[in-house]
Amino acid sequence: MIIAVLVLGLLVPAQGTFADVLGVVRTCAIVLLFFLYGARMPTREVVDGLRNWRLQGSMLGATYVLLPALGLAVQALPDTVLAPELRQGVLYLSLLPSTVQSSVVFTSVARGNVAAAITGATISNVSGIVLTPVLVGLLLTATSGDLGGSPVGILLQLLLPFVVGQVVQPWIGGWVRAHAPLTRTTDRATILLVAYTSVSQASVSGAWDHVTPSALAVLVVVSVVVLAAVLAATWWGGRAIGLDRADRAALLMVGSTKSLATGLPMAAVLFSPVVAAGVALPVIVYHQLQLATCAVVARRVARVE
């Protein structure tokens, strides 16, 4: 579906009044998405999970230290190897929180510590509501200059809905968690809407002109190297700090994955439309690679004693 809307945005981009209406709908969808994130996350479970500080600290370190370091290393590539816009996207990707559903499923397949994966992914996403915009401001602005984002938009569209969701979570959290199709539909619809509007804006402005087949191939190779590096670091690093096999499996899956569901909507708020379109492509490419790779890795880890 993501590929389909990307093609649609290239061939039939939204323009004029239709684009304006879609922009309003997208903003409302992002607000609803982050409200539901807050409403469905039990604060008590997050606090309880912090007790396993070594594992949880390792997950956060992989997500917000190791991967950003790899993202910064990619910035050293010359423009002739990887275009600046795509390098920005790789750095932005590295600053995102972990996935929730995917990392937990892969941890289960790997016979890992599922409870720790749930807590770690949840903490990662809660922290990411604040950490990702802050890191974007510190790292991306420092390397790329003004990216056109709005601090007021970050507050009103991301943080405020999440906080409101957390406030009302004791009353509606159980109902939201019991109606999983509601949040799944919201997640997917928002991702598709953001993907289509971002590609449309890029198509109209000419931002995609530099993305040639060779540039896409280089981006895939860079994404493969980054993913391989973080998978190796989390698996062998977990052993080095004394984690057992189940905890290492959880660290492997939570520490190496990045959330498309958070990344695309957040990009629409943090960046100007043209920049958002540029950073979206690396997020989409890495997301597809992590799904395919972690599915294989999880099965292999399941056989490790």
Side-chain angles (χ1 to χ4, degrees), residues 58-267:
S58 300
M59 290 177 178
L60 287 174
T63 301
Y64 293 115
V65 178
L66 173 60
L67 268 160
L70 293 172
L72 283 171
V74 171
Q75 306 311 299
L77 293 174
D79 293 354
T80 53
V81 175
L82 191 64
E85 296 83 0
L86 296 180
R87 292 204 307 269
Q88 291 175 10
V90 174
L91 181 53
Y92 171 67
L93 157 75
S94 72
L95 306 178
L96 293 175
S98 174
T99 62
V100 178
Q101 294 94 335
S102 298
S103 60
V104 171
V105 170
F106 290 141
T107 300
S108 177
V109 171
R111 297 191 299 115
N113 187 337
V114 174
I118 293 173
T119 302
T122 301
I123 293 173
S124 174
N125 277 261
V126 172
S127 304
I129 302 298
V130 175
L131 280 179
T132 296
V134 170
L135 290 173
V136 165
L138 291 175
L139 300 181
L140 263 168
T141 302
T143 58
S144 307
D146 184 18
L147 299 171
S150 167
V152 175
I154 295 169
L155 175 64
L156 296 181
Q157 295 182 43
L158 304 181
L159 186 57
L160 183 59
F162 179 82
V163 171
V164 172
Q166 278 283 281
V167 169
V168 301
Q169 189 271 143
W171 294 278
I172 70 171
W175 184 89
V176 172
R177 289 187 290 273
H179 292 77
L182 171 65
T183 51
R184 282 200 303 269
T185 300
T186 305
D187 284 353
R188 295 172 183 176
T190 304
I191 291 170
L192 295 175
L193 181 60
V194 169
Y196 173 68
T197 54
S198 296
V199 174
S200 293
Q201 290 165 339
S203 299
V204 172
S205 65
W208 291 107
D209 293 347
H210 68 280
V211 183
T212 62
S214 59
L216 183 59
V218 172
L219 175 61
V220 170
V221 171
V222 169
S223 299
V224 168
V225 171
V226 170
L227 179 58
V230 74
L231 284 170
T234 49
W235 180 248
W236 298 111
R239 186 172 74 169
I241 64 175
L243 297 179
D244 61 28
R245 195 206 67 84
D247 283 354
R248 287 171 69 195
L251 172 60
L252 181 72
M253 296 307 167
V254 175
S256 63
T257 56
K258 290 294 185 175
S259 176
L260 180 77
T262 300
L264 289 189
M266 193 174 281

Side-chain angles (χ1 to χ4, degrees), residues 42-62:
T43 308
R44 174 179 45 79
E45 291 184 10
V46 178
V47 174
D48 290 345
L50 289 172
R51 294 174 182 173
N52 191 349
W53 62 268
R54 187 167 54 176
L55 175 57
Q56 299 301 334
S58 300
M59 290 177 178
L60 287 174

